[in-house]
Structures are given as structure tokens and as C-alpha cells.
């Protein structure tokens, strides 16, 4: 995991299985009632009018936000060049810093604000703000106290065919099942390290904004390739750039694994069809904060414990 040398910190930074998509839609009627009031452009409040209804893709975000208790406050945060973090009473959450989108709409200090309100930023079309919003979601959901009772595993060692052992590699964890399926179609959203290894045992298609490899296809191809895929691996950044709801709809008949430190480790995502959450838990908050602020990519990796949570019966 790499970081650049600059960051913007503190006040200057700013389903399948247990449930179904139908269940999630039916439950979402009350999810928006706890949204923060006000305007996204007002320094005193964070909210996005028109996004709190019971229908439409925002219901996924509203459910995730509503799952955060009202009495948890943000204590520190940093919007780094490559990675960001939010520290709250519940712990520290991280996300990949995604650039682009709309101009920033919130200029206030997030320290002292309710974590649930800061998580509203996940709905921002400014992707830097949304990066902080997803980090805020992770500050609540990526707690071992919540994940341990669900059977979450951490830094599991996986031996790959060449004899090497890699820690918590979601692709290798699913390799035996995909291989046994025979001639399976695998779609990966984003160019992950060593993704080309999938070609050894399956038909690979990579959805990539800037195509550079033989198996790459552009983003709009998702409408064509995901519905017919057997397996889908999608980055947690899809929650930041707002493509996650549509991708999950397209993957209604596909086994779906969300991968990367930005993945929100919320079991709620199982109701949207996710089969495994392969994300991270911050094991050393001080080291994570130092790494984000100083561009120390090696320390950032050391500060995280990779985590995997499977949907029951998945």
C-alpha cells in the first residue's frame, strides 16, 4: 500500500442468504429518518437533501449510516493523498482517498461531530468527501468487538500453487471453489495486484476506467459482463464513487466478493447480495495516522489487520 508525501489533515482537511435485496428495500423505509439535517454546504450540518427516501440506490447508504449509534463522536481525521482515516469513540476506520467528482461542499471541522453525521459524507458526489464518509463508516463497522462474534477471520495465511504463502488474499481464498467450478467466468472491478493469476484457472475480465491490459474492458461494459459472470470481485472504492448499488444489482445471480481496505465490514451488505467482505481492521491507530499524514505506505500496511467475513451459508 503506497502513499504520497502530502496530506490534508484535521480541521484543514476536511442477500443472498440471510436476507435479500427485497428484504433490504422493505426495511429501508425507516433508514432515512435519522439523516442529519441541514445543507451539505452549511458549516454546521452535513446532509444531502433528496437522498433519504425509502427507494432508489441511496437506501444502501442510508442503512449503513443508520446502523451507527447517535452517541459516537469523531475525534480526529485526515484526508491523505492516497489513504484517509477517521478516528471516533468506537475506533479508527480507513478508506482509499478517491479524487474527482464534484467540488467540495462542506468546509467545517468534523471533530466533535457525531460519527453518524460524518458518515453522511459517503453520499457526497465530491469523492474526497465521500472517502472520509466511508472511513467514518469503517470507524464503526470495522471493530473486532462487532466482527469477532460473527466468525470473522484475520490475516489468514493462504498457500498459492507456487508454494508461497500470502496473507489474506481474497482471490486465492476463492481459487479452489472457482477452479472446481470449471471454466468459470470471473469479473474483477479494478486492477488489483496479481489479478492476472486468475487466468490460470478461470476466464477473466477486468473492468477498468483506463484500459491497459488485454483483459481490460471499460466501465460501461459492466452492464454486459457482470450479469453472465459466475464470480465478481469488486473494490470497496465502489462505495465511494457510488457504483456499488448498480454493480450489486447486476450481480444478482453472481457470487460477489468485496475486496480492499476500504470495504465497509457491515453484515448488512449480505442483504445486497455480497458473499464475502474482505476488508481491514485498524490494529494500530497511531501508526495508521502517522502513515497517512507522512506518506509512509509501509507503516500503513503494518497498521492494518486484513479481515474476511463470509455470509452465513456462503
Amino acid at each position: 500500500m503506497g502513499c504520497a508525501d502530502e496530506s490534508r489533515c484535521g480541521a484543514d482537511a476536511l442477500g443472498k442468504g440471510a436476507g435479500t435485496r427485497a428484504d433490504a428495500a422493505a426495511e429501508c423505509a425507516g433508514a432515512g429518518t435519522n439523516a442529519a439535517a441541514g445543507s451539505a454546504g452549511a458549516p454546521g450540518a452535513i446532509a444531502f437533501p433528496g437522498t433519504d427516501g425509502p427507494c432508489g440506490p441511496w437506501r444502501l447508504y442510508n442503512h449503513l449510516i443508520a446502523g451507527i449509534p447517535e452517541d459516537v463522536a469523531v475525534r480526529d481525521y485526515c484526508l491523505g493523498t492516497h489513504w484517509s482515516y477517521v478516528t471516533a469513540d468506537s475506533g479508527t476506520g480507513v478508506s482509499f482517498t478517491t479524487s474527482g467528482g464534484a467540488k467540495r461542499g462542506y468546509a467545517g471541522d468534523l471533530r466533535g461531530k457525531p460519527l453518524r453525521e460524518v458518515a453522511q459524507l459517503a453520499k457526497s458526489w465530491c469523492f474526497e468527501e465521500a472517502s472520509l464518509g466511508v472511513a467514518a463508516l469503517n470507524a464503526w463497522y470495522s471493530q473486532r468487538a462487532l466482527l469477532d462474534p460473527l466468525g470473522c477471520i484475520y490475516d489468514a495465511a493462504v498457500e498459492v500453487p507456487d508454494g508461497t504463502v500470502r496473507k489474506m488474499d481474497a482471490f486465492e481464498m476463492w481459487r479452489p471453489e472457482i477452479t472446481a467450478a470449471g471454466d468459470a467466468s470471473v469479473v474483477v472491478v479494478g486492477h488489483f495486484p496479481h489479478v492476472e493469476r486468475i487466468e490460470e484457472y478461470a476466464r477473466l475480465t477486468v473492468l477498468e476506467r483506463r484500459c491497459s491490459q488485454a483483459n481490460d474492458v471499460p466501465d460501461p461494459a459492466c452492464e454486459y459482463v457482470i450479469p453472465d459472470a459466475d464470480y465478481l470481485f469488486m473494490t470497496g472504492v465502489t462505495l465511494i464513487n457510488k457504483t456499488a448499488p448498480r454493480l450489486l444489482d447486476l450481480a444478482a445471480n453472481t457470487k460477489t466478493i468485496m475486496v480492499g481496505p476500504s470495504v465497509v465490514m457491515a453484515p448488512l451488505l449480505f442483504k445486497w447480495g455480497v458473499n464475502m467482505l474482505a476488508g481491514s481492521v485498524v490494529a494500530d491507530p497511531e501508526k495508521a495516522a502517522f502513515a497517512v499524514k507522512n506518506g509512509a505506505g509501509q507503516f500503513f500496511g503494518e497498521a492494518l489487520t486484513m479481515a474476511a467475513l463470509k455470509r452465513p451459508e456462503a
Side-chain angles (χ1 to χ4, degrees):
M1 301 175 187
C3 294
D5 293 333
E6 297 179 357
S7 60
R8 302 180 293 284
C9 308
D12 294 329
L14 229 179
K16 299 168 186 173
T20 65
R21 289 182 179 83
D23 295 333
E27 294 172 6
C28 71
T33 59
N34 294 313
S39 165
I46 303 171
F48 297 87
T51 65
D52 299 325
C55 299
W58 293 118
R59 68 187 187 274
L60 172 58
Y61 294 87
N62 291 334
H63 264 256
L64 289 170
I65 293 166
I68 301 175
E70 296 178 342
D71 60 350
V72 179
V74 171
R75 300 305 174 189
D76 189 24
Y77 65 98
C78 180
L79 180 67
T81 305
H82 282 186
W83 296 96
S84 297
Y85 75 84
V86 170
T87 296
D89 297 332
S90 53
T92 297
V94 299
S95 72
F96 182 76
T97 302
T98 305
S99 59
K103 292 183 178 180
R104 187 169 301 170
Y106 185 80
D109 189 349
L110 302 180
R111 292 173 296 183
K113 280 190 167 294
L115 181 64
R116 180 189 285 189
E117 182 180 344
V118 174
Q120 288 276 339
L121 288 173
K123 296 194 283 186
S124 175
W125 286 110
C126 169
F127 295 150
E128 287 90 349
E129 287 182 343
S131 299
L132 285 173
V134 168
L137 288 170
N138 275 324
W140 174 254
Y141 287 106
S142 294
Q143 301 180 61
R144 291 197 63 153
L146 298 179
L147 296 173
D148 287 354
L150 301 175
C152 189
I153 59 175
Y154 306 93
D155 279 345
V158 179
E159 183 174 353
V160 297
D162 63 7
T164 60
V165 176
R166 301 175 64 189
K167 280 191 174 182
M168 193 55 72
D169 187 317
F171 298 98
E172 293 297 335
M173 291 175 74
W174 282 86
R175 180 172 184 152
E177 178 178 323
I178 297 173
T179 301
D183 195 37
S185 170
V186 177
V187 174
V188 179
V189 180
H191 254 300
F192 286 87
H194 311 297
V195 70
E196 67 280 355
R197 291 181 179 177
I198 294 175
E199 294 182 89
E200 299 171 6
Y201 53 92
R203 290 177 286 117
L204 172 66
T205 302
V206 178
L207 288 165
E208 180 61 45
R209 189 149 296 171
R210 298 179 180 85
C211 299
S212 60
Q213 305 296 325
N215 291 316
D216 292 359
V217 295
D219 294 352
C222 65
E223 301 284 338
Y224 301 85
V225 300
I226 291 178
D228 293 328
D230 298 302
Y231 297 87
L232 171 66
F233 291 85
M234 53 188 282
T235 170
V237 173
T238 56
L239 285 167
I240 297 172
N241 65 25
K242 313 300 183 291
T243 58
R246 180 56 183 160
L247 294 177
L248 292 174
D249 282 345
L250 292 170
N253 299 309
T254 303
K255 285 197 173 181
T256 302
I257 302 94
M258 295 192 74
V259 184
S262 300
V263 171
V264 177
M265 298 293 291
L268 170 69
L269 288 165
F270 296 148
K271 294 184 177 182
W272 264 265
V274 178
N275 293 83
M276 175 187 271
L277 300 168
S280 65
V281 172
V282 176
D284 190 332
E286 290 187 6
K287 184 176 285 189
F290 174 84
V292 170
K293 293 175 181 178
N294 294 277
Q298 177 184 353
F299 288 139
F300 185 77
E302 293 173 357
L304 302 184
T305 295
M306 304 314 294
L309 182 64
K310 268 196 172 184
R311 173 180 62 76
E313 304 100 37

